[in-house]
Amino acid sequence: MVAPACDPERDELDEVVTTWNSHRIRAKAGHGVIGGHPSLMYTLPEMYSAEDNLKAVDMDELALCKEDCTPKSQYPCDDTVFHLCCLLMQEKGWDAPKDAFSAAELYILLRTEILQNI
């Protein structure tokens, strides 16, 4: 068996999970907060008089959703729209986004610009 590739983000997440699950949540009387170990509270909610709200997922539906969300070409949208956005970014001096927030801001700027010129 081949060892999985090192993924620093996954390693960090695993460390957070381990740290979190090694603690015990304290109950707070009068606040409706029950105490226990997070991993047990999640895995066996009935032990804590809680309701299991996990829902089964139909794997065929999941596959369809993944297919619908997977880009079909090298561009994340219609080729013409992508090239138009690139031209607008160049013309307006807008930089490519570096994080989700700047991507959302850029999207709003591009959408507004395109809608004004339709």
Side-chain angles (χ1 to χ4, degrees), residues 4-5 10 12-13 17-18 30 33-34 55 63-64 67 70 86 89 97 105 111 113-114 118:
R10 182 70 205 185
E12 184 179 352
L13 181 60
V17 168
T18 301
V33 177
I34 56 174
K55 302 296 178 209
L64 285 173
E67 185 179 319
T70 303
C86 290
M89 288 172 63
E105 290 174 0
R111 186 175 189 277
E113 189 69 27
I114 290 169
I118 290 182

Side-chain angles (χ1 to χ4, degrees), residues 34-108:
I34 56 174
H37 291 282
S39 59
L40 286 175
M41 295 172 78
Y42 175 79
T43 309
L44 302 167
E46 60 274 5
M47 284 180 54
Y48 299 91
S49 301
E51 183 180 340
D52 184 355
N53 289 310
L54 291 178
K55 302 296 178 209
V57 175
D58 181 337
M59 296 310 285
D60 291 335
E61 287 184 32
L62 179 63
L64 285 173
C65 288
K66 283 183 178 180
E67 185 179 319
D68 287 346
C69 295
T70 303
K72 306 298 185 239
S73 72
Q74 69 185 52
Y75 305 116
C77 60
D78 177 79
D79 295 355
T80 305
V81 173
F82 180 80
H83 290 297
L84 174 61
C85 289
C86 290
L87 288 171
L88 284 170
M89 288 172 63
Q90 186 177 19
E91 180 183 300
K92 301 287 185 180
W94 296 335
D95 295 323
K98 302 209 182 332
D99 56 37
F101 295 109
S102 59
E105 290 174 0
L106 177 61
Y107 169 79
I108 291 168

